[in-house]
Amino acid sequence: MDRRKLAAYLVVVILMVTSVSAGLILFYHGPGSAAVPDEGRTARAWVNVASIPSGTVREADRWGSVETLAGASAGTLSYYRQVAFHQTEATESVVLDGEIWCMMRASAVDAVLLRYSPEVRGPGWNISFECYSPQAGDAFDPSFGTQHIGLTAKLIDRNGTALAAVDLSYGTPDDRYVSLRDVGAGATTVLSNTTIASTTPKGPLEGYAPDRYIVSFQREGGRCVITVLHTSGVMVGQGTVDIPSGWGGPAQLVLSTTSTVLTRRGIDPSVPWSVTTYSGAWIVDNLACRGATAPYPLVGPLYEYAYQGAQVPTAGLPTGAPREGASVTIGGTPAPFNATTGRYEADLGFEAGWGKKVRCSVELDGVTVEDNISLTMVAVAEHARVSEWWNGWDWVSVFGLDDCAGPDSALTVYRGYEHPLTAYSIYQGGSSRQTLTYPYLEIALHNPHDWEGGSIKFWNDAVAQANTGASFLRNNYEYAGRWDAPSNGGQGDTYISMANPGNKATYQQLYALWQAGIRIDGRSSDKVAGSPGNHTQLGSWYDAGGYLGSGAGWYPYRAVDLMDASRSLSWDNPRNWTSAFELVDEVAENHGVLRAYGHPNRAIALPELMHWIDNGKTNYTLENWKATDGEVASYIYGRWSADLSFDAGRSDASTWSYNVSCGGAAAAGYWKVPVTIEIDLGGRAVKDIVVKDGGRTLRMSSGSLADLHGARIMDSGYDIRNGVLYVSGMWSEGSTLSVDLDDHSPVLDLGPETPMIMRAD
């Protein structure tokens, strides 16, 4: 099994460490097997539960909970239940997507980030948290200067007296370490002289939170055992600290930072006054307090795609023996353990929708976890499926113009092309009516555009500027494009696309733009230092194989991945054909999206390549759908939110009938666009196609259902290519699709063709 596939099915990490009381091994628990409801469409969801035992569980230690922050709103800056967040001019701690984003934009010394004040219910306790640095590896060049991004976890009593502390740091080579401090004795032990990369396992069925450190403080008699593990399978280190007789017991876990943030001036010679700030961050999650010998549960995945009626895939690693006593629910439904797959499973009533938040709960030896899973239920129908891209094309191209004055600028620069355009507007110009003329155009956003200060913005400033940008479009235009136009059934004033906030941005800006209505953005993080995050935590169309084969950074399995969608082809400057085409070919071969762009007052420096992308391919097998950013985002939403079922009661040997619906786009902040159903004809010819949608009946035989004739610009209608029927429609609630087939049609030659490749130079 290759690394990418292994990551996609990763369900348990096995860690073996030495403890005062026992070896710690992560494994699955749970009795029984999942039951299937007798009737109705269902999809089987699953939860993986691993645990870190701490020896034989004492009855007095069967208590505790894990604070997952699942109920905290994005942008929470003050407190949430037992966690209080602290801010300074240099640092900010804010909840983003169920995690605490602790960011440092300037150097700081012992700046408090947060305080966790758990309820300790017995004399034996274990207080822990999880954390990771939001960069896959260290990209800091020491010749630039010193970069040190630190996180300190300190356990204090009610008098503020510290017992022990763990220091973690990443940055330049001498500033990567994990150490343990006995505060009372003034002794420091280095547990590791490096920090471990936080890779992110993502795949087409499930994905997990990035690998992270687990730091725990466990009282064992008169000593505190401090353990640092890493979920990649590494025992980082362990030590003990004697508990002084006068120490008043744990009151708070205090996280703070001592950091040196690197700044450099004049990196870009065209703007020598600009300053690049290499801001950094640590992400903190799952603060927990439990009995000293109670196990620590680890729950996943972060997201999953559950196919209607399908069995849950078997875990990719050994699961260990089932254990009595674990209780798991998914969406309020009991989820017994399935010993065959090594997962807890529950059959839920089928409900279409991309990435719906479903609450899961786990109780293991008195320790409770309440968290969310992003669940997508995927419909399954005979002979048919929802196409990956509109009209069944292999990959997608987007032509955009940055820094433009509305539609006028984009239409001028791209004169001579027949490709839909995305106008990333920073100034007002033109009107929404210009978006309705073939080959169509989308009005998008390029504001905020403070690329000098983009990597230092905290939450409140990010929200203010995101709202200012969205208001700029609403105040100057009526609708973003043809699918948003009220005359075409759109909502109007639904601006969902953005170039980027100026080459890079903090995660605060990313989530603030999401709240302001943006659904696809670019370069909200960076592969190299200079932005707090990078492509391994979220993102799309950066790395075909994903960082270290993890699958991260290519397909947007979660909606937030579109907020860092790669814009990889700039035509501002000349580039040799071979290197430019290699980039295009990687995107096409991996069914991705190529976002090409440039700036006003410049001639397109890659005209041959841009026209090749625009034109129909005569020397290349893989063809592209020509789209705008908003169409891409809205189609992905429509694809995963479509409900498709085979209607056996209206079908026979010569007619296949389907029920189809695609709802919820407007409520989720997307446009309602045509979604493509593809049907494998099995070598049979089509006599007629009948679509009933929104009170209209459209037929191929009457011409009311349009023949798309291989169209590459989005529309409704049908296409037949290589023995596959593609039918694109809006699919309002209650829509149906029927295909009449010729019983005596000859078998088509569907043998594979020799792929054509582009010339090398």
Side-chain angles (χ1 to χ4, degrees), residues 485-507:
S487 60
N488 291 335
Q491 301 291 307
D493 274 341
T494 307
Y495 305 97
I496 64 176
S497 304
M498 182 160 174
N500 59 46
N503 294 334
K504 56 191 173 186
T506 61
Y507 275 20

Side-chain angles (χ1 to χ4, degrees), residues 17-24 52-58 61 126 218-221 223 225 227 238 240 291-294:
V17 304
T18 302
S19 173
V20 171
S21 57
L24 308 186
I52 304 175
S54 297
T56 302
V57 182
R58 296 188 292 256
D61 289 339
N126 191 323
Q218 177 194 27
R219 177 172 182 172
E220 191 63 38
R223 294 181 294 173
V225 181
T227 305
Q238 190 175 68
T240 61
T293 59

Side-chain angles (χ1 to χ4, degrees), residues 577 581 612 616-622 755-759:
W577 174 273
F581 182 74
W612 180 85
K617 310 298 175 290
T618 59
N619 55 355
Y620 192 68
T621 303
L622 304 173
M756 293 183 291
I757 59 173
M758 194 59 187
R759 60 186 175 84

Side-chain angles (χ1 to χ4, degrees), residues 652-656 681-686 723 741-743 745-748:
D652 54 34
S654 59
T655 301
W656 295 343
L681 298 173
R684 302 173 71 181
V686 175
L741 302 167
D742 187 345
D743 290 332
S745 57
V747 176
L748 301 178

